[in-house]
Structures are given as structure tokens and as C-alpha cells.
Amino acid sequence: MAGLPGSGKSTLLKAWAPLATVVDPRATRAAHQAAMPSWLPYRIYQPWARLRHMHWIRTEIRRAHPLLVHDCGSRPWMRRWLAGNADRAGRPLHMVLLDVGFQEALSGQQARQRLTSRRVFATHRRGLARLLSSVDGDGSAAMEGLTSLVLLDRTSRDGGPRAQFDRLRK
């Protein structure tokens, strides 16, 4: 599940959660914050939190069950890493990309009171713009390592798209 911060990824994942295991970076961050002294800034232990999160994703990919990964999708290296792990596990990799526009995403952040910094938001916005431009082109860059890509705008996101998962065979 990919999209700008505030685009509705968490809301959609919550709706689909009964169907699959959800790997959300906020859970990893919260676990690390609980174990660290309150005076220690997150940026100090963020690399370890990220490594732990990636380990969690890899562990879940290796299991033969439906899996939903919460990721912004704006980082090409992360998309390649996910694709490589899915390929090694013999699993398909599908991306649901929420393209709701940056104003809608900012409104979503404000409504949920989960604001990202301007710098982080701008970085995600540039990365997703590159991804979306490759989807608008021939699609090859966006599809690298993916079995499918589903692009949802605000209307289709709010229309309650349904997820269906087939049983994986190992």
C-alpha cells in the first residue's frame, strides 16, 4: 500500500486488515520508542528501527499468508528490496498506489493529527511524482518487480475497494 503521508493508506489497511497480516512502520517505531529513554530523539535510533522493520517485512514475506505492507512507495530502493524478497520467496508482489493529490494528503494528515515535516513530505512527493510519471509513460519502471499495480484516486479509495487474496501454495 503506497501513497503520500495522509493519503489514506492506514485507513484502507485498517479496512483490509481482517484479510491479511499488516506490517506497519508505526508499530516498529512505537516499539523502539517504548524501549528508549524519552529524552533520546528518534533520529538517533531510527536506523535500527528501520532495520527491525525490514526484518519484520522479510519474515512475513517468507510465510505463506496474505500480507499487506504499509510503505510510502516513494523510495525506489525500497520497492526493489520488496520485489527481490517477494521474488526469492516465490510470491507475487502487488502495489496499491493511492494518488489523491498533495492537498488531499495534507488535509488527511491534519485530520488525523499525524503531520510529517515539510522536508519529509516534499521528499515523498518528489519520489511518488517520479513513480507516477513512469506509470503514465510506458509503465516499465513502475512495474519493475511487480505482478500488478492498482492506482486508486480519492473517489475509488472512498468507494470501498475490496481486497481478495488467494491462498498461496509453497
Side-chain angles (χ1 to χ4, degrees), residues 97-108:
L97 178 56
L98 300 178
D99 181 21
V100 300
F102 78 96
Q103 290 291 1
E104 173 80 13
L106 287 172
S107 295

Side-chain angles (χ1 to χ4, degrees), residues 8-70:
K9 298 181 301 293
S10 295
T11 302
L12 200 51
L13 284 171
K14 200 176 295 180
W16 291 0
L19 304 171
T21 298
V22 176
V23 177
D24 190 331
R26 284 182 311 183
T28 306
R29 181 179 181 156
H32 277 76
Q33 283 178 325
M36 297 293 165
S38 60
W39 53 264
L40 189 63
Y42 177 67
R43 70 179 177 277
I44 301 297
Y45 55 91
Q46 181 182 17
W48 289 274
R50 178 165 301 197
L51 284 173
R52 179 66 191 115
H53 180 67
M54 292 173 77
H55 180 264
W56 182 21
I57 292 170
R58 184 180 307 158
T59 299
E60 295 299 332
I61 285 175
R62 291 176 178 168
R63 296 184 177 161
H65 61 75
L67 176 63
L68 296 167
V69 177
H70 184 286

Side-chain angles (χ1 to χ4, degrees), residues 96-133:
V96 176
L97 178 56
L98 300 178
D99 181 21
V100 300
F102 78 96
Q103 290 291 1
E104 173 80 13
L106 287 172
S107 295
Q109 287 183 44
Q110 291 168 347
R112 295 173 191 90
Q113 297 180 351
R114 288 197 320 247
L115 302 174
T116 59
S117 71
R118 286 183 179 162
R119 181 188 59 80
V120 168
F121 188 79
T123 299
H124 288 306
R125 190 172 169 199
R126 285 190 303 273
L128 282 172
R130 284 190 296 274
L131 176 60
L132 286 166
S133 70

